[in-house]
Amino acid sequence: MKKLFNTKGRMADDMIDGFVSAYPDIVVRGQSPRVVRRKTVRTKDGKVALLIGNGSGHEPIAMGFVGEGLLDANVVGDVFAAPSPDMILEGIEEVTGDAGAILLISRHEGDVINGNAAAMMAEDEDLNVRPLLMYDDISSAPKGEEQDRRGAAGTMFIYKILGAAAEAGMGLDQLYTLGEDVRARTRTLGAAVSPGVSPLTGKLMFTLPEDEIYIGMGVHGEPGVGRRKTGPVRELVSYMVDALLDDGPIAAGTPTIVLINGSGGTTMMELLTIYGEVASLLTTRDIPLEVPMIGSYSTTQEMGGFSISLFTPTPDMLALWQAPHKAPHFPHIDRQGE
Amino acid sequence: MKKLFNTKGRMADDMIDGFVSAYPDIVVRGQSPRVVRRKTVRTKDGKVALLIGNGSGHEPIAMGFVGEGLLDANVVGDVFAAPSPDMILEGIEEVTGDAGAILLISRHEGDVINGNAAAMMAEDEDLNVRPLLMYDDISSAPKGEEQDRRGAAGTMFIYKILGAAAEAGMGLDQLYTLGEDVRARTRTLGAAVSPGVSPLTGKLMFTLPEDEIYIGMGVHGEPGVGRRKTGPVRELVSYMVDALLDDGPIAAGTPTIVLINGSGGTTMMELLTIYGEVASLLTTRDIPLEVPMIGSYSTTQEMGGFSISLFTPTPDMLALWQAPHKAPHFPHIDRQGE
């Protein structure tokens, strides 16, 4: 598949140009060209900063989530490549005030190494930065070894809830604990049906027989936990929901938010069908459902596939989840229900 | 590419099940199973109804745009197939009160024939329904023959502005005239880089040499106006913007809204890059830009490609465009700027 860009070397930069020119009242490019930050940084008011550095090519996550009530900054790496510690440090410097910062890290090797290094460098500059690892993909390490799991689409719950809490004035330690608690309440499992094309190589990112589906593949094509034959999507979804509930049981009566995330090349028609099957299975178990999130938010180019995330918020978390925000490409949860 | 569904015969129905279960406070399935309508129909208050019947497979348009301040109903056809006149009539009957209805029709042959037939049948039942043809694709008929053009992504401006105006109490004749005026101020041109797969046949919808791009292809793979060799996207965008401005000149100083619509398989990274190029070209011509709309709203499965729409609203139209709404899958324009 042909990709629409100018030059390989400018892919992330041209994307940032487009984004900041589209929403100039909300986001600006920082002093460092790969830092996208809120136009008005509020950390002088004692607000804790919230930011993340990550590889590009997964949009709208995470650059599209910068804005009031969500991220203060995103440090944009090259396609599928974590930004360097120096670049992440520049992002930290641009938004961190006396109240400190939470540096979100979606758990992938390069992101962890570079994020932790940047946080240590910031400490040398007397900036109080706490890295928060995010991991929700149950296929990437067994139960009991959650800290070895990868970050997946369920990280969106942490972004939004910490973003709203930081905006409301919550302090650094409390935010960190809240983030851990949201993480513990979130589980994700994905399935891939067809590869995307790497914009760097122009090649398919993996191959998969026409009648098979991978379960648990990572956002860069990392190996999954198994293959299934194609068939009615109801059977696939039933298998995945069982796996999620085995890993993290949800008691009847526990309000739950479902996130159906498309990988890029899977249509809204399919995502809605999948949501319908998930909702039906959870309702049968007497699990009440909050307004879901259905769309392609954390993508792997035009890969075909999806993930199911289940999150059981406390009432406080739910209120933060539904709080208004201004991030250009994060859904407006408060407008989706009544 | 594998598609995720249960059975071919249930594709649209399963999708509707998922949609109405996701947003039960906003939308419900009508008495007719292919009618998706607002939970609370306001036409008893003298509100003009606004609805459309169209083939599915292009989501989120149009089903995702049902909700307060937007559509009152969508009649959902099979994939890529206009619903029958009887089905459209059922939709009209469910939402039309004394103030009448505007039946939007995105100009494609089956939609026009069936929509007009449904409007005539409604007249026999003393329902006052005015069909409004929508056409914005400049590649499908020459200047001067605009009424022969196809409907494309730029129809979103009509949906939203008429939806907000109807909600605010505007009468039928005024709404119709407003719709014609929005239509006259909107132009769209698309480009396709790779085919999507028909969920009906499992086959690619067309073929295209690896180094070529089609200009002006329709949303069902209808023939375009020409081919170009691949190259830097800046050159393609420049060609397309010139074509749009040749067809509908925009004077310096005229506020303009840009819509960059992805066809399904084109990434947000690419769409943002394209927007950056469009914004740069228009700014050079001293055309001031309102907050744009960038995303995959009117899709053709996972087809690779995009369209550029340019719309020059009056101040009244701009206010209606930015008015709040509750449609689950329409962007919240009021939250995207300041």
Side-chain angles (χ1 to χ4, degrees):
Chain A
M1 178 187 242
K2 296 172 277 274
K3 299 281 180 175
L4 297 157
F5 60 85
N6 287 312
T7 65
K8 284 190 186 183
R10 287 275 312 167
M11 273 192 275
D13 304 285
D14 285 351
M15 171 183 76
I16 294 171
D17 283 346
F19 186 65
V20 298
S21 70
Y23 309 107
D25 292 327
I26 299 176
V27 291
V28 295
R29 196 188 276 268
Q31 291 179 285
S32 169
R34 289 295 189 88
V35 174
V36 174
R37 68 163 174 82
R38 282 172 60 174
K39 184 183 179 189
T40 308
V41 172
R42 276 194 50 221
T43 50
K44 281 182 189 158
D45 306 344
K47 179 189 170 298
V48 175
L50 185 70
L51 77 160
I52 188 166
N54 63 291
S56 56
H58 303 291
E59 289 70 24
I61 211 171
M63 185 180 70
F65 302 167
V66 176
E68 186 181 325
L70 253 149
L71 297 177
D72 292 285
N74 176 222
V75 182
V76 181
D78 289 328
V79 173
F80 300 161
S84 69
D86 284 340
M87 289 164 68
I88 299 173
L89 179 63
E90 289 171 340
I92 292 170
E93 289 170 344
E94 290 204 30
V95 296
T96 305
D98 292 342
I102 299 273
L103 176 66
L104 299 174
I105 301 176
S106 180
R107 209 187 147 281
H108 295 89
E109 194 176 356
D111 295 281
V112 175
I113 293 170
N114 293 2
N116 283 332
M120 285 174 58
M121 289 155 68
E123 209 169 295
D124 291 341
E125 299 181 9
D126 290 327
L127 294 171
N128 190 10
V129 178
R130 298 196 62 179
L132 178 67
L133 288 176
M134 303 189 290
Y135 39 79
D136 55 318
D137 173 9
I138 67 166
S139 76
S140 48
K143 193 168 166 65
E145 299 173 25
E146 284 80 4
Q147 73 285 354
D148 292 333
R149 291 178 170 176
R150 289 188 293 253
T155 58
M156 284 180 75
F157 294 113
I158 298 181
Y159 287 68
K160 177 64 179 70
I161 289 168
L162 292 200
E167 198 73 44
M170 188 179 280
L172 188 59
D173 291 343
Q174 269 185 291
L175 281 168
Y176 188 84
T177 304
L178 177 62
E180 289 182 311
D181 196 9
V182 173
R183 182 177 68 196
R185 293 166 172 271
T186 307
R187 280 166 182 76
T188 298
L189 182 59
V193 300
S194 63
V197 170
S198 165
L200 300 172
T201 65
K203 310 275 188 207
L204 292 175
M205 294 171 67
F206 55 90
T207 57
L208 186 56
E210 189 53 35
D211 64 342
E212 291 191 357
I213 292 174
Y214 280 132
I215 306 290
M217 172 167 282
V219 294
H220 310 94
E222 294 93 338
V225 289
R227 295 172 174 200
R228 280 177 68 92
K229 290 289 176 190
T230 52
V233 73
R234 181 171 297 140
E235 295 172 9
L236 173 64
V237 168
S238 175
Y239 170 86
M240 292 171 71
V241 168
D242 282 348
L244 285 162
L245 293 176
D246 281 351
D247 194 90
I250 299 177
T254 308
T256 298
I257 304 176
V258 177
L259 160 60
I260 307 296
N261 181 68
S263 304
T266 287
T267 61
M268 181 57 84
M269 173 174 253
E270 294 165 282
L271 300 180
L272 287 168
T273 299
I274 290 161
Y275 175 76
E277 299 297 341
V278 173
S280 169
L281 291 164
L282 296 180
T283 301
T284 302
R285 293 171 183 249
D286 292 322
I287 295 172
L289 301 177
E290 299 292 337
V291 177
M293 197 159 49
I294 305 168
S296 296
Y297 302 113
S298 173
T299 64
T300 303
Q301 298 292 308
E302 66 287 341
M303 183 169 102
F306 67 99
S307 62
I308 303 170
S309 301
L310 302 181
F311 168 52
T312 53
T314 64
D316 285 351
M317 289 174 186
L318 187 60
L320 292 164
W321 173 246
Q322 294 170 341
H325 69 83
K326 291 258 186 194
H329 292 167
F330 199 94
H332 289 274
I333 311 297
D334 59 318
R335 295 287 180 85
Q336 297 201 341
E338 289 294 320
Chain B
M1 177 185 242
K2 295 172 277 276
K3 299 281 178 172
L4 296 157
F5 59 85
N6 288 313
T7 65
K8 283 189 187 182
R10 287 275 311 166
M11 273 192 275
D13 303 285
D14 285 352
M15 171 183 77
I16 294 171
D17 283 346
F19 186 66
V20 299
S21 70
Y23 310 106
D25 292 328
I26 298 176
V27 289
V28 294
R29 195 190 279 269
Q31 292 179 287
S32 169
R34 290 296 189 83
V35 174
V36 174
R37 68 163 173 83
R38 284 172 59 173
K39 185 182 178 191
T40 308
V41 173
R42 276 194 52 220
T43 49
K44 281 182 190 158
D45 306 346
K47 178 188 170 301
V48 175
L50 185 69
L51 77 160
I52 187 167
N54 64 293
S56 57
H58 303 292
E59 289 70 25
I61 211 171
M63 186 180 68
F65 302 167
V66 176
E68 186 182 323
L70 254 148
L71 296 177
D72 291 285
N74 176 222
V75 182
V76 181
D78 289 329
V79 173
F80 301 160
S84 69
D86 283 339
M87 291 164 67
I88 300 172
L89 179 64
E90 289 170 342
I92 292 169
E93 289 169 346
E94 290 205 30
V95 296
T96 304
D98 291 342
I102 299 275
L103 175 66
L104 299 175
I105 301 175
S106 180
R107 208 186 149 282
H108 295 88
E109 193 176 355
D111 296 281
V112 174
I113 293 170
N114 293 2
N116 282 333
M120 284 174 59
M121 289 154 68
E123 209 169 298
D124 290 341
E125 299 180 9
D126 290 327
L127 295 169
N128 190 9
V129 178
R130 296 195 64 178
L132 178 67
L133 289 176
M134 303 188 291
Y135 40 78
D136 54 318
D137 173 9
I138 67 167
S139 76
S140 48
K143 193 168 166 64
E145 298 172 26
E146 284 80 4
Q147 73 285 355
D148 292 333
R149 290 177 171 176
R150 290 189 294 253
T155 57
M156 286 180 74
F157 295 113
I158 297 180
Y159 286 70
K160 177 64 178 69
I161 289 169
L162 291 200
E167 199 71 44
M170 189 180 279
L172 188 60
D173 291 343
Q174 269 185 292
L175 281 168
Y176 188 85
T177 304
L178 176 62
E180 289 182 311
D181 196 9
V182 172
R183 181 177 70 196
R185 292 165 172 272
T186 306
R187 279 167 183 74
T188 298
L189 182 60
V193 301
S194 63
V197 170
S198 165
L200 300 173
T201 65
K203 309 276 187 207
L204 292 176
M205 293 170 66
F206 55 90
T207 58
L208 185 57
E210 189 52 36
D211 64 342
E212 291 191 358
I213 292 173
Y214 280 132
I215 305 290
M217 173 167 281
V219 296
H220 309 94
E222 294 93 338
V225 288
R227 295 171 170 199
R228 280 177 66 92
K229 290 290 177 189
T230 53
V233 72
R234 180 171 299 141
E235 294 171 10
L236 173 64
V237 168
S238 174
Y239 169 85
M240 292 170 71
V241 168
D242 282 347
L244 284 162
L245 293 176
D246 280 351
D247 194 88
I250 299 178
T254 308
T256 298
I257 303 176
V258 177
L259 160 60
I260 307 296
N261 181 69
S263 306
T266 288
T267 62
M268 182 58 84
M269 174 175 253
E270 294 164 281
L271 300 181
L272 287 169
T273 300
I274 290 161
Y275 176 75
E277 300 298 341
V278 173
S280 170
L281 290 165
L282 296 181
T283 301
T284 301
R285 292 172 184 249
D286 292 321
I287 296 172
L289 301 177
E290 299 293 336
V291 176
M293 196 157 52
I294 304 169
S296 296
Y297 303 112
S298 172
T299 65
T300 304
Q301 299 292 308
E302 67 288 343
M303 183 170 104
F306 67 98
S307 62
I308 303 169
S309 300
L310 302 181
F311 167 52
T312 52
T314 64
D316 285 351
M317 290 175 186
L318 186 61
L320 293 164
W321 173 245
Q322 293 170 340
H325 69 84
K326 291 257 186 193
H329 292 167
F330 199 96
H332 289 276
I333 310 299
D334 58 319
R335 294 288 179 86
Q336 297 202 342
E338 288 293 323

